[in-house]
Amino acid sequence: NGKYGLVSLQQRYKGVKLPKIEVVNMKKEKAKKRTNGDYSNILMNHLSDTVAQKKQAIIFQNRRGYAPYIQCETCGWIAECENCSVSLTYHMNQHQLKCHYCGFRQKSTPSCLNCESTNLKMKGFGTEKIEDDLSLQFPDVKIQRMDKDTTRKKYSYQQIIKAFETNETQLLVGTQMVSKGLDFKNVNLVTIVDADRMIFYPDFRAHERAFQMMLQVSGRAGRDTEQGQVIVQTYQPEQPLFKHLVQYDYLGFYDAQLKERLQFAYPPFYRLIKIVLKGKQLAATQQNAQKLYLALIQEFTPNRVLAPHEPLISKIKNIFHQEIWMKLEKGHPLAQAKNKIRQVVLTLKNDKEFNKLRISYDVDPS
């Protein structure tokens, strides 16, 4: 319609080659005992070469903290937030368990709160653990971490950037902060330690976001004269996304995503409306979400309204959440649909229990 224009960058500044992306099959490496904890020998060898050559590397992991959760190996208990339906993340520096949603924190427990066993194990890994692991592997190398925890103080972000820019820091570990517009000539290696965490997320845009994030962070390597190197670790190397990634095949990835979205009725072929119901009681919230769903399918037909369900995080700050998603084909009058939803909700608000809920709407949620 002439509403949007497309600008394509076909080559890098000074004609520098795009980094070479290598996908490491962690299943295969683990089976052949070619790993060091969470890291393949391939990744560690590249880091060793980078350090030896006095070059710099960026280690990307989009999860802060030391370990995503702590679990009892005896009974299976997991340390969870008392206000939200999420596990508590262990932060070693403060020796605390923290909730990244409501801010709840407690001291790390030495024993299981369920069976009192001391057989507790940290599961997964965040940026803090990677920094700790690399410090043991490279004791003489300056390593810094850039995430929400290390950039809270005034000027801390600028200080980390300056140390990396002046080659004082050789290895920079970070979350998506490290992918945003950094231009350092001495960086020849980028490693993505856990690509699967970005890909296997319950959202239809997960692959799009993962592809974009991995391409963006890959672009931090080899920005001066030499071609950079990118190492991507995954347990699912057969994923089509990786084939497009190593070839920088944006259009191929785009076409594959469009076919999938058409097949399963997602944008840009359908409009989405997310209705979120929030209440203090779980049972009441579920029952009223069901009432709203039954009323909506009378107005919109069942194929346009998905049944109510708990979101990924179903309780935040002791408030329970239920979601109802609507899919409207392109061309369906959106203003008319909004008015119908308002009328349905208004009618149900005559119910005393329903009126206690907070309801929010998100059209085409990002």
PDB file of all heavy atoms in Angstrom, residues 282-309:
ATOM      1  N   LEU A 282      -7.975 -17.957  43.250  1.00  0.00           N
ATOM      2  CA  LEU A 282      -7.753 -18.751  42.043  1.00  0.00           C
ATOM      3  C   LEU A 282      -9.053 -19.311  41.475  1.00  0.00           C
ATOM      4  O   LEU A 282      -9.353 -19.141  40.287  1.00  0.00           O
ATOM      5  CB  LEU A 282      -6.777 -19.890  42.339  1.00  0.00           C
ATOM      6  CG  LEU A 282      -6.531 -20.894  41.202  1.00  0.00           C
ATOM      7  CD1 LEU A 282      -5.968 -20.196  39.977  1.00  0.00           C
ATOM      8  CD2 LEU A 282      -5.606 -22.011  41.660  1.00  0.00           C
ATOM      9  N   ALA A 283      -9.847 -19.985  42.316  1.00  0.00           N
ATOM     10  CA  ALA A 283     -11.070 -20.643  41.832  1.00  0.00           C
ATOM     11  C   ALA A 283     -12.037 -19.626  41.236  1.00  0.00           C
ATOM     12  O   ALA A 283     -12.614 -19.848  40.162  1.00  0.00           O
ATOM     13  CB  ALA A 283     -11.741 -21.408  42.972  1.00  0.00           C
ATOM     14  N   ALA A 284     -12.219 -18.487  41.911  1.00  0.00           N
ATOM     15  CA  ALA A 284     -13.142 -17.457  41.423  1.00  0.00           C
ATOM     16  C   ALA A 284     -12.668 -16.875  40.095  1.00  0.00           C
ATOM     17  O   ALA A 284     -13.468 -16.621  39.186  1.00  0.00           O
ATOM     18  CB  ALA A 284     -13.286 -16.355  42.465  1.00  0.00           C
ATOM     19  N   THR A 285     -11.364 -16.674  39.977  1.00  0.00           N
ATOM     20  CA  THR A 285     -10.803 -16.130  38.728  1.00  0.00           C
ATOM     21  C   THR A 285     -11.032 -17.105  37.581  1.00  0.00           C
ATOM     22  O   THR A 285     -11.423 -16.701  36.470  1.00  0.00           O
ATOM     23  CB  THR A 285      -9.295 -15.838  38.899  1.00  0.00           C
ATOM     24  OG1 THR A 285      -9.090 -15.040  40.054  1.00  0.00           O
ATOM     25  CG2 THR A 285      -8.741 -15.102  37.680  1.00  0.00           C
ATOM     26  N   GLN A 286     -10.802 -18.391  37.823  1.00  0.00           N
ATOM     27  CA  GLN A 286     -11.028 -19.412  36.795  1.00  0.00           C
ATOM     28  C   GLN A 286     -12.491 -19.500  36.397  1.00  0.00           C
ATOM     29  O   GLN A 286     -12.820 -19.565  35.204  1.00  0.00           O
ATOM     30  CB  GLN A 286     -10.537 -20.771  37.307  1.00  0.00           C
ATOM     31  CG  GLN A 286      -9.030 -20.878  37.438  1.00  0.00           C
ATOM     32  CD  GLN A 286      -8.585 -22.171  38.087  1.00  0.00           C
ATOM     33  OE1 GLN A 286      -9.319 -22.764  38.885  1.00  0.00           O
ATOM     34  NE2 GLN A 286      -7.382 -22.623  37.764  1.00  0.00           N
ATOM     35  N   GLN A 287     -13.385 -19.492  37.384  1.00  0.00           N
ATOM     36  CA  GLN A 287     -14.822 -19.602  37.099  1.00  0.00           C
ATOM     37  C   GLN A 287     -15.333 -18.419  36.295  1.00  0.00           C
ATOM     38  O   GLN A 287     -16.102 -18.574  35.346  1.00  0.00           O
ATOM     39  CB  GLN A 287     -15.599 -19.729  38.418  1.00  0.00           C
ATOM     40  CG  GLN A 287     -15.411 -21.059  39.123  1.00  0.00           C
ATOM     41  CD  GLN A 287     -15.872 -21.025  40.567  1.00  0.00           C
ATOM     42  OE1 GLN A 287     -16.496 -20.065  41.018  1.00  0.00           O
ATOM     43  NE2 GLN A 287     -15.552 -22.090  41.312  1.00  0.00           N
ATOM     44  N   ASN A 288     -14.891 -17.222  36.664  1.00  0.00           N
ATOM     45  CA  ASN A 288     -15.342 -16.027  35.949  1.00  0.00           C
ATOM     46  C   ASN A 288     -14.727 -15.919  34.562  1.00  0.00           C
ATOM     47  O   ASN A 288     -15.349 -15.378  33.644  1.00  0.00           O
ATOM     48  CB  ASN A 288     -15.039 -14.781  36.781  1.00  0.00           C
ATOM     49  CG  ASN A 288     -15.996 -14.639  37.950  1.00  0.00           C
ATOM     50  OD1 ASN A 288     -17.199 -14.511  37.758  1.00  0.00           O
ATOM     51  ND2 ASN A 288     -15.478 -14.682  39.163  1.00  0.00           N
ATOM     52  N   ALA A 289     -13.513 -16.439  34.406  1.00  0.00           N
ATOM     53  CA  ALA A 289     -12.908 -16.483  33.065  1.00  0.00           C
ATOM     54  C   ALA A 289     -13.732 -17.400  32.160  1.00  0.00           C
ATOM     55  O   ALA A 289     -13.946 -17.101  30.980  1.00  0.00           O
ATOM     56  CB  ALA A 289     -11.469 -16.974  33.158  1.00  0.00           C
ATOM     57  N   GLN A 290     -14.216 -18.514  32.724  1.00  0.00           N
ATOM     58  CA  GLN A 290     -15.062 -19.439  31.959  1.00  0.00           C
ATOM     59  C   GLN A 290     -16.389 -18.769  31.576  1.00  0.00           C
ATOM     60  O   GLN A 290     -16.884 -18.945  30.465  1.00  0.00           O
ATOM     61  CB  GLN A 290     -15.318 -20.708  32.783  1.00  0.00           C
ATOM     62  CG  GLN A 290     -16.043 -21.827  32.045  1.00  0.00           C
ATOM     63  CD  GLN A 290     -15.211 -22.404  30.905  1.00  0.00           C
ATOM     64  OE1 GLN A 290     -13.993 -22.289  30.877  1.00  0.00           O
ATOM     65  NE2 GLN A 290     -15.885 -23.031  29.940  1.00  0.00           N
ATOM     66  N   LYS A 291     -16.957 -17.980  32.486  1.00  0.00           N
ATOM     67  CA  LYS A 291     -18.203 -17.250  32.194  1.00  0.00           C
ATOM     68  C   LYS A 291     -18.000 -16.296  31.013  1.00  0.00           C
ATOM     69  O   LYS A 291     -18.831 -16.208  30.112  1.00  0.00           O
ATOM     70  CB  LYS A 291     -18.643 -16.435  33.417  1.00  0.00           C
ATOM     71  CG  LYS A 291     -19.280 -17.227  34.535  1.00  0.00           C
ATOM     72  CD  LYS A 291     -19.681 -16.264  35.657  1.00  0.00           C
ATOM     73  CE  LYS A 291     -20.056 -17.012  36.918  1.00  0.00           C
ATOM     74  NZ  LYS A 291     -20.313 -16.071  38.041  1.00  0.00           N
ATOM     75  N   LEU A 292     -16.880 -15.562  31.069  1.00  0.00           N
ATOM     76  CA  LEU A 292     -16.595 -14.601  29.997  1.00  0.00           C
ATOM     77  C   LEU A 292     -16.391 -15.329  28.670  1.00  0.00           C
ATOM     78  O   LEU A 292     -16.878 -14.889  27.619  1.00  0.00           O
ATOM     79  CB  LEU A 292     -15.359 -13.774  30.353  1.00  0.00           C
ATOM     80  CG  LEU A 292     -14.906 -12.744  29.322  1.00  0.00           C
ATOM     81  CD1 LEU A 292     -16.016 -11.764  28.977  1.00  0.00           C
ATOM     82  CD2 LEU A 292     -13.666 -11.980  29.813  1.00  0.00           C
ATOM     83  N   TYR A 293     -15.677 -16.446  28.709  1.00  0.00           N
ATOM     84  CA  TYR A 293     -15.445 -17.226  27.494  1.00  0.00           C
ATOM     85  C   TYR A 293     -16.764 -17.687  26.867  1.00  0.00           C
ATOM     86  O   TYR A 293     -16.978 -17.527  25.656  1.00  0.00           O
ATOM     87  CB  TYR A 293     -14.563 -18.430  27.829  1.00  0.00           C
ATOM     88  CG  TYR A 293     -14.510 -19.491  26.755  1.00  0.00           C
ATOM     89  CD1 TYR A 293     -13.864 -19.252  25.537  1.00  0.00           C
ATOM     90  CD2 TYR A 293     -15.127 -20.733  26.937  1.00  0.00           C
ATOM     91  CE1 TYR A 293     -13.821 -20.217  24.550  1.00  0.00           C
ATOM     92  CE2 TYR A 293     -15.080 -21.712  25.955  1.00  0.00           C
ATOM     93  CZ  TYR A 293     -14.431 -21.447  24.761  1.00  0.00           C
ATOM     94  OH  TYR A 293     -14.396 -22.401  23.775  1.00  0.00           O
ATOM     95  N   LEU A 294     -17.667 -18.230  27.671  1.00  0.00           N
ATOM     96  CA  LEU A 294     -18.954 -18.732  27.157  1.00  0.00           C
ATOM     97  C   LEU A 294     -19.786 -17.595  26.570  1.00  0.00           C
ATOM     98  O   LEU A 294     -20.492 -17.783  25.567  1.00  0.00           O
ATOM     99  CB  LEU A 294     -19.724 -19.436  28.273  1.00  0.00           C
ATOM    100  CG  LEU A 294     -19.092 -20.742  28.793  1.00  0.00           C
ATOM    101  CD1 LEU A 294     -19.842 -21.276  30.002  1.00  0.00           C
ATOM    102  CD2 LEU A 294     -19.046 -21.795  27.672  1.00  0.00           C
ATOM    103  N   ALA A 295     -19.691 -16.418  27.176  1.00  0.00           N
ATOM    104  CA  ALA A 295     -20.424 -15.263  26.647  1.00  0.00           C
ATOM    105  C   ALA A 295     -19.816 -14.776  25.333  1.00  0.00           C
ATOM    106  O   ALA A 295     -20.535 -14.387  24.402  1.00  0.00           O
ATOM    107  CB  ALA A 295     -20.435 -14.141  27.685  1.00  0.00           C
ATOM    108  N   LEU A 296     -18.477 -14.815  25.248  1.00  0.00           N
ATOM    109  CA  LEU A 296     -17.804 -14.324  24.034  1.00  0.00           C
ATOM    110  C   LEU A 296     -18.052 -15.223  22.821  1.00  0.00           C
ATOM    111  O   LEU A 296     -18.213 -14.735  21.697  1.00  0.00           O
ATOM    112  CB  LEU A 296     -16.297 -14.198  24.281  1.00  0.00           C
ATOM    113  CG  LEU A 296     -15.850 -13.032  25.167  1.00  0.00           C
ATOM    114  CD1 LEU A 296     -14.370 -13.145  25.513  1.00  0.00           C
ATOM    115  CD2 LEU A 296     -16.120 -11.688  24.475  1.00  0.00           C
ATOM    116  N   ILE A 297     -18.104 -16.554  23.047  1.00  0.00           N
ATOM    117  CA  ILE A 297     -18.306 -17.437  21.881  1.00  0.00           C
ATOM    118  C   ILE A 297     -19.724 -17.317  21.323  1.00  0.00           C
ATOM    119  O   ILE A 297     -19.973 -17.680  20.169  1.00  0.00           O
ATOM    120  CB  ILE A 297     -17.973 -18.917  22.207  1.00  0.00           C
ATOM    121  CG1 ILE A 297     -18.864 -19.464  23.324  1.00  0.00           C
ATOM    122  CG2 ILE A 297     -16.501 -19.087  22.539  1.00  0.00           C
ATOM    123  CD1 ILE A 297     -18.645 -20.952  23.578  1.00  0.00           C
ATOM    124  N   GLN A 298     -20.638 -16.794  22.143  1.00  0.00           N
ATOM    125  CA  GLN A 298     -21.984 -16.526  21.629  1.00  0.00           C
ATOM    126  C   GLN A 298     -21.965 -15.367  20.629  1.00  0.00           C
ATOM    127  O   GLN A 298     -22.739 -15.330  19.676  1.00  0.00           O
ATOM    128  CB  GLN A 298     -22.937 -16.181  22.789  1.00  0.00           C
ATOM    129  CG  GLN A 298     -23.152 -17.301  23.787  1.00  0.00           C
ATOM    130  CD  GLN A 298     -23.774 -18.534  23.162  1.00  0.00           C
ATOM    131  OE1 GLN A 298     -24.708 -18.429  22.363  1.00  0.00           O
ATOM    132  NE2 GLN A 298     -23.234 -19.705  23.497  1.00  0.00           N
ATOM    133  N   GLU A 299     -21.032 -14.441  20.855  1.00  0.00           N
ATOM    134  CA  GLU A 299     -20.933 -13.254  19.992  1.00  0.00           C
ATOM    135  C   GLU A 299     -19.982 -13.450  18.816  1.00  0.00           C
ATOM    136  O   GLU A 299     -20.180 -12.885  17.744  1.00  0.00           O
ATOM    137  CB  GLU A 299     -20.457 -12.054  20.826  1.00  0.00           C
ATOM    138  CG  GLU A 299     -21.428 -11.580  21.874  1.00  0.00           C
ATOM    139  CD  GLU A 299     -22.645 -10.888  21.268  1.00  0.00           C
ATOM    140  OE1 GLU A 299     -22.538 -10.361  20.133  1.00  0.00           O
ATOM    141  OE2 GLU A 299     -23.702 -10.877  21.925  1.00  0.00           O
ATOM    142  N   PHE A 300     -18.914 -14.249  19.016  1.00  0.00           N
ATOM    143  CA  PHE A 300     -17.846 -14.327  18.018  1.00  0.00           C
ATOM    144  C   PHE A 300     -17.661 -15.703  17.378  1.00  0.00           C
ATOM    145  O   PHE A 300     -16.814 -15.851  16.508  1.00  0.00           O
ATOM    146  CB  PHE A 300     -16.514 -13.917  18.655  1.00  0.00           C
ATOM    147  CG  PHE A 300     -16.430 -12.461  18.986  1.00  0.00           C
ATOM    148  CD1 PHE A 300     -16.742 -12.017  20.268  1.00  0.00           C
ATOM    149  CD2 PHE A 300     -16.046 -11.522  18.043  1.00  0.00           C
ATOM    150  CE1 PHE A 300     -16.660 -10.679  20.602  1.00  0.00           C
ATOM    151  CE2 PHE A 300     -15.962 -10.182  18.360  1.00  0.00           C
ATOM    152  CZ  PHE A 300     -16.272  -9.752  19.650  1.00  0.00           C
ATOM    153  N   THR A 301     -18.361 -16.706  17.805  1.00  0.00           N
ATOM    154  CA  THR A 301     -18.223 -18.113  17.383  1.00  0.00           C
ATOM    155  C   THR A 301     -16.988 -18.756  18.020  1.00  0.00           C
ATOM    156  O   THR A 301     -15.967 -18.077  18.228  1.00  0.00           O
ATOM    157  CB  THR A 301     -18.149 -18.298  15.848  1.00  0.00           C
ATOM    158  OG1 THR A 301     -16.905 -17.794  15.366  1.00  0.00           O
ATOM    159  CG2 THR A 301     -19.297 -17.607  15.141  1.00  0.00           C
ATOM    160  N   PRO A 302     -17.033 -20.052  18.337  1.00  0.00           N
ATOM    161  CA  PRO A 302     -15.945 -20.729  19.079  1.00  0.00           C
ATOM    162  C   PRO A 302     -14.590 -20.712  18.378  1.00  0.00           C
ATOM    163  O   PRO A 302     -13.551 -20.725  19.040  1.00  0.00           O
ATOM    164  CB  PRO A 302     -16.467 -22.166  19.219  1.00  0.00           C
ATOM    165  CG  PRO A 302     -17.947 -22.051  19.115  1.00  0.00           C
ATOM    166  CD  PRO A 302     -18.196 -20.926  18.166  1.00  0.00           C
ATOM    167  N   ASN A 303     -14.569 -20.691  17.041  1.00  0.00           N
ATOM    168  CA  ASN A 303     -13.273 -20.742  16.351  1.00  0.00           C
ATOM    169  C   ASN A 303     -12.472 -19.442  16.479  1.00  0.00           C
ATOM    170  O   ASN A 303     -11.281 -19.407  16.181  1.00  0.00           O
ATOM    171  CB  ASN A 303     -13.469 -21.093  14.873  1.00  0.00           C
ATOM    172  CG  ASN A 303     -14.234 -20.013  14.117  1.00  0.00           C
ATOM    173  OD1 ASN A 303     -15.244 -19.513  14.600  1.00  0.00           O
ATOM    174  ND2 ASN A 303     -13.762 -19.650  12.937  1.00  0.00           N
ATOM    175  N   ARG A 304     -13.130 -18.363  16.925  1.00  0.00           N
ATOM    176  CA  ARG A 304     -12.428 -17.088  17.081  1.00  0.00           C
ATOM    177  C   ARG A 304     -11.973 -16.831  18.523  1.00  0.00           C
ATOM    178  O   ARG A 304     -11.212 -15.897  18.770  1.00  0.00           O
ATOM    179  CB  ARG A 304     -13.335 -15.931  16.648  1.00  0.00           C
ATOM    180  CG  ARG A 304     -13.594 -15.855  15.148  1.00  0.00           C
ATOM    181  CD  ARG A 304     -14.204 -14.497  14.817  1.00  0.00           C
ATOM    182  NE  ARG A 304     -14.434 -14.349  13.399  1.00  0.00           N
ATOM    183  CZ  ARG A 304     -15.646 -14.336  12.831  1.00  0.00           C
ATOM    184  NH1 ARG A 304     -16.726 -14.496  13.577  1.00  0.00           N
ATOM    185  NH2 ARG A 304     -15.780 -14.174  11.535  1.00  0.00           N
ATOM    186  N   VAL A 305     -12.451 -17.628  19.458  1.00  0.00           N
ATOM    187  CA  VAL A 305     -12.134 -17.397  20.874  1.00  0.00           C
ATOM    188  C   VAL A 305     -11.482 -18.656  21.456  1.00  0.00           C
ATOM    189  O   VAL A 305     -12.052 -19.747  21.383  1.00  0.00           O
ATOM    190  CB  VAL A 305     -13.392 -17.047  21.695  1.00  0.00           C
ATOM    191  CG1 VAL A 305     -12.999 -16.626  23.107  1.00  0.00           C
ATOM    192  CG2 VAL A 305     -14.205 -15.959  21.019  1.00  0.00           C
ATOM    193  N   LEU A 306     -10.288 -18.500  22.010  1.00  0.00           N
ATOM    194  CA  LEU A 306      -9.607 -19.628  22.644  1.00  0.00           C
ATOM    195  C   LEU A 306     -10.039 -19.731  24.099  1.00  0.00           C
ATOM    196  O   LEU A 306     -10.237 -18.714  24.775  1.00  0.00           O
ATOM    197  CB  LEU A 306      -8.086 -19.451  22.574  1.00  0.00           C
ATOM    198  CG  LEU A 306      -7.486 -19.307  21.165  1.00  0.00           C
ATOM    199  CD1 LEU A 306      -5.973 -19.220  21.262  1.00  0.00           C
ATOM    200  CD2 LEU A 306      -7.882 -20.465  20.268  1.00  0.00           C
ATOM    201  N   ALA A 307     -10.179 -20.950  24.591  1.00  0.00           N
ATOM    202  CA  ALA A 307     -10.636 -21.180  25.965  1.00  0.00           C
ATOM    203  C   ALA A 307      -9.683 -20.549  26.976  1.00  0.00           C
ATOM    204  O   ALA A 307      -8.484 -20.439  26.717  1.00  0.00           O
ATOM    205  CB  ALA A 307     -10.765 -22.681  26.219  1.00  0.00           C
ATOM    206  N   PRO A 308     -10.197 -20.135  28.137  1.00  0.00           N
ATOM    207  CA  PRO A 308      -9.318 -19.513  29.139  1.00  0.00           C
ATOM    208  C   PRO A 308      -8.243 -20.472  29.627  1.00  0.00           C
ATOM    209  O   PRO A 308      -8.459 -21.678  29.717  1.00  0.00           O
ATOM    210  CB  PRO A 308     -10.290 -19.146  30.275  1.00  0.00           C
ATOM    211  CG  PRO A 308     -11.513 -19.948  30.050  1.00  0.00           C
ATOM    212  CD  PRO A 308     -11.590 -20.215  28.588  1.00  0.00           C
ATOM    213  N   HIS A 309      -7.086 -19.904  29.924  1.00  0.00           N
ATOM    214  CA  HIS A 309      -5.961 -20.716  30.376  1.00  0.00           C
ATOM    215  C   HIS A 309      -5.060 -19.876  31.287  1.00  0.00           C
ATOM    216  O   HIS A 309      -5.143 -18.653  31.291  1.00  0.00           O
ATOM    217  CB  HIS A 309      -5.142 -21.227  29.186  1.00  0.00           C
ATOM    218  CG  HIS A 309      -4.491 -20.127  28.408  1.00  0.00           C
ATOM    219  ND1 HIS A 309      -5.151 -19.401  27.438  1.00  0.00           N
ATOM    220  CD2 HIS A 309      -3.240 -19.589  28.479  1.00  0.00           C
ATOM    221  CE1 HIS A 309      -4.344 -18.486  26.939  1.00  0.00           C
ATOM    222  NE2 HIS A 309      -3.179 -18.575  27.551  1.00  0.00           N
TER     223      HIS A 309
END
